[in-house]
Amino acid sequence: LLAWNTDKHYLAELAASGLPVVPTTFVEVTDSETSWRAELVRLLSSGDVVVKPAVSAGSNDTERHSDIESAIVQIRSLLVRGKSVMLQPYFSDVDTAGETGLVFVDGEFSHAFAKGAILSGAKIMTGDLYAEEEISTRIASDDERAVGERAVASISDRFGTPLYARVDLLPSVDGPTIIELELTEPSLYLGLGAGAADRLVSAISARL
């Protein structure tokens, strides 16, 4: 589970299984610039594009681009460092609605929270480790919970039920869409869910 979740190539597997995932193109070190430049042009023809490494945390090296030249500079920089690169369309609805995070404990939904759009303006990094985020309470919609439950069920079928899981969703015209699964080192924001800390304690105790 650790090896699978710390490399965001897992998003391709989730999409192939039928889960709603932000469309993602992976650029590898061995790929020709001609091929990924053509994909970059296609994405930018419809709006902004997000460029980030497939292995990262805290939104490090994650940037939003509206012009091809700045995106190319970042892609080349990541590839030179031996990193696989992700290209994703920017879902602009997040600028107003934010992300929704769903927290699951022992396979069961615990609580939700709202996360402000990190790339709507200039990122503020803390100690070059992670981008500062605006976090608040949120009541998840039925559609959001349904997507989260499907994602956790998929994980559980493959690896067994995880002690904890976080499913991060973006709003889109097609409904809630998975931007990331946080299964290894997530902030669970236990203080935002009534009884969440107790649920986690009980789940840990049951496994000891």
Side-chain angles (χ1 to χ4, degrees):
L1 180 63
L2 288 169
W4 182 81
N5 188 236
T6 50
D7 185 329
K8 294 184 180 66
H9 280 86
Y10 71 77
L11 290 174
E13 295 184 38
L14 295 181
S17 72
L19 285 162
V21 176
V22 174
T24 304
T25 298
F26 290 94
V27 179
E28 310 301 342
V29 174
T30 54
D31 291 345
S32 70
E33 182 164 327
T34 301
S35 64
W36 60 256
R37 185 188 283 256
E39 177 62 10
L40 186 59
V41 169
R42 186 189 70 80
L43 288 169
L44 285 168
S45 68
S46 300
D48 290 357
V49 65
V50 176
V51 176
K52 57 188 173 184
V55 178
S56 68
S59 296
N60 276 281
D61 293 320
T62 297
E63 302 294 342
R64 173 184 177 181
H65 299 276
S66 57
D67 68 274
I68 190 169
E69 294 306 324
S70 66
I72 288 174
V73 168
Q74 186 191 359
I75 294 168
R76 287 174 176 168
S77 173
L78 292 171
L79 292 173
V80 164
R81 289 151 59 191
K83 294 179 177 287
S84 296
V85 180
M86 301 166 62
L87 308 180
Q88 297 175 320
Y90 186 77
F91 283 18
S92 58
D93 285 349
V94 73
D95 289 340
T96 53
E99 293 185 27
T100 297
L102 306 178
V103 177
F104 291 79
V105 174
D106 225 5
E108 299 295 328
F109 176 73
S110 171
H111 61 284
F113 63 90
K115 181 163 63 171
I118 293 176
L119 301 180
S120 61
K123 284 192 305 180
I124 301 174
M125 299 297 294
T126 297
D128 294 326
L129 293 175
Y130 58 89
E132 293 184 8
E133 300 174 321
E134 295 181 5
I135 305 296
S136 58
T137 57
R138 171 165 288 175
I139 297 175
S141 69
D142 291 343
D143 288 344
E144 288 171 334
R145 286 189 56 170
V147 170
E149 287 164 358
R150 287 174 58 198
V152 173
S154 176
I155 298 163
S156 299
D157 285 345
R158 179 166 180 171
F159 300 106
T161 303
L163 174 63
Y164 52 80
R166 201 181 91 192
V167 182
D168 291 346
L169 303 172
L170 290 178
S172 80
V173 294
D174 297 318
T177 304
I178 297 170
I179 183 66
E180 192 168 0
L181 298 184
E182 296 275 11
L183 309 176
T184 58
E185 37 60 73
S187 297
L188 298 177
Y189 303 107
L190 298 175
L192 298 182
D198 290 336
R199 284 190 287 274
L200 182 60
V201 168
S202 296
I204 294 172
S205 298
R207 293 183 178 219
L208 293 178

